[in-house]
Amino acid sequence: MTSVEEYRLLGFADADREAAEEFAADQAVVKDLADQIRDAIGKLGSEPQFRMPEDPRNSVQAFLDTLPDIRRYHAERGIPDDISWATLADLGQQLKVNRRTHGTYGLETHWWMTIHWTGQIYALGRLQYLLHQVPADKPVPGTEPGEWIIGVHIPEIGPLTPEAVDDSLQQAREFFPRYFPEYPVKTANLWSWLIDPYLLDNLPQDSNMVKFGRRFTPYGTPNDSQDSAIFFTFRTHGLERLDELPQDTRLQQLVVRRIKEGGTWQSAYGYLRL
């Protein structure tokens, strides 16, 4: 049974906590995912490929049922409580995003939370870092296939100020050698529409977003990612309502204008040395 305090530490809004407590979970489905999570905790290297429930609310219940397991793993690694809870609180944040997007309790990104619950990703200040290996078919400049690196992820928790990013990267430089010394990392990489060259060239060059993107050296071939730009900017999917989307910021205006002009947003690759 998850306590009210645990719900709070997991970042649940009151409405999502109440909905989780009222949900009649399919216990067999929940157990199947919970068993997969427990078996995968601490087995680092690649993102887990789980059988995910059709109803993501069952996934939330599996995450709650396995909270003691991932908390135990963090403790055994010596990971501080504040970092452990900050990492796992992405569950509550994702529930809030789902409610903003769909207007109800659910977890569209339930697959994403499996990497938190298996011990592969950590929230260190402004950014999150996924410990993984360089795949042979997706090389990163200056690294070898199988080399350990950290993938940068950008939660929706505030502005990307240079000071906050500097602090987060410094935390990462100290965190991984201390708590994961057997997985030495020298490089961070990023795959995101936030480093689409078009965005970096067309936003004000003194903006936080451009300053963040310019930290990364581009590599590889970008992938079309139109929906990512729409979803992460407006928390909606599809191109049917472009004229109804808010146009209050330069980013919002740029995202819509490019699409209307026939352009396609892309997710690009970048890396930086730690």
Side-chain angles (χ1 to χ4, degrees):
M1 177 69 76
T2 307
S3 69
V4 172
E5 177 63 7
E6 286 172 330
Y7 277 117
R8 184 188 71 80
L9 290 166
L10 289 172
F12 276 57
D14 288 343
D16 290 325
R17 174 182 58 79
E18 293 166 1
E21 291 174 336
E22 294 170 0
F23 177 63
D26 184 323
Q27 294 303 321
V29 171
V30 170
K31 182 179 184 302
D32 181 53
L33 179 56
D35 287 346
Q36 293 177 77
I37 290 171
R38 291 189 180 103
D39 184 61
I41 289 175
K43 296 178 181 178
L44 310 182
S46 60
E47 294 184 24
Q49 301 295 318
F50 290 156
R51 296 179 300 277
M52 298 301 293
E54 290 186 14
D55 187 336
R57 294 175 296 178
N58 284 313
S59 300
V60 177
Q61 187 59 55
F63 295 136
L64 296 174
D65 287 357
T66 53
L67 178 60
D69 302 276
I70 184 57
R71 288 278 295 147
R72 186 179 308 113
Y73 174 73
H74 286 170
E76 290 170 350
R77 279 274 174 184
I79 293 168
D81 254 10
D82 60 339
I83 293 177
S84 173
W85 284 117
T87 299
L88 300 177
D90 202 24
L91 176 58
Q93 172 64 18
Q94 295 298 317
L95 290 169
K96 292 171 186 173
V97 168
N98 191 93
R99 190 173 286 276
R100 283 170 50 197
T101 304
H102 301 290
T104 188
Y105 171 62
L107 190 61
E108 180 179 358
T109 54
H110 59 153
W111 53 271
W112 164 246
M113 293 309 305
T114 61
I115 62 176
H116 302 63
W117 253 253
T118 52
Q120 304 202 51
I121 194 169
Y122 294 91
L124 303 173
R126 180 62 184 84
L127 303 171
Q128 300 168 329
Y129 301 91
L130 171 64
L131 185 60
H132 67 290
Q133 290 173 285
V134 177
D137 61 341
K138 293 183 179 179
V140 177
T143 69
E144 299 293 331
E147 182 176 329
W148 291 91
I149 63 173
I150 48 176
V152 177
H153 293 270
I154 311 160
E156 187 184 340
I157 58 174
L160 275 171
T161 65
E163 296 77 14
V165 174
D166 285 342
D167 175 73
S168 180
L169 288 170
Q170 184 57 37
Q171 288 189 53
R173 294 184 187 102
E174 297 171 0
F175 176 86
F176 288 98
R178 179 176 300 170
Y179 300 110
F180 293 91
E182 69 270 46
Y183 306 116
V185 295
K186 299 178 293 185
T187 303
N189 77 327
L190 173 67
W191 177 65
S192 173
W193 79 278
L194 291 182
I195 54 173
D196 184 327
Y198 184 91
L199 182 141
L200 297 181
D201 289 341
N202 285 276
L203 281 180
Q205 294 305 292
D206 61 351
S207 71
N208 288 336
M209 195 171 294
V210 171
K211 289 180 179 179
F212 173 76
R214 298 291 188 203
R215 293 173 185 261
F216 294 86
T217 301
Y219 72 94
T221 303
N223 312 108
D224 288 352
S225 196
Q226 198 87 289
D227 187 66
S228 291
I230 290 291
F231 179 68
F232 288 108
T233 305
F234 301 103
R235 291 306 182 189
T236 189
H237 293 289
L239 307 180
E240 298 80 16
R241 298 173 47 244
L242 287 180
D243 290 332
E244 301 173 23
L245 298 176
Q247 296 288 275
D248 302 323
T249 69
R250 291 185 179 181
L251 177 62
Q252 291 172 341
Q253 295 164 11
L254 183 65
V255 168
V256 170
R257 184 170 68 247
R258 186 183 189 190
I259 295 171
K260 285 187 172 182
E261 291 174 351
T264 300
W265 288 100
Q266 295 187 308
S267 288
Y269 295 89
Y271 74 94
L272 61 78
R273 301 295 180 209
L274 295 172

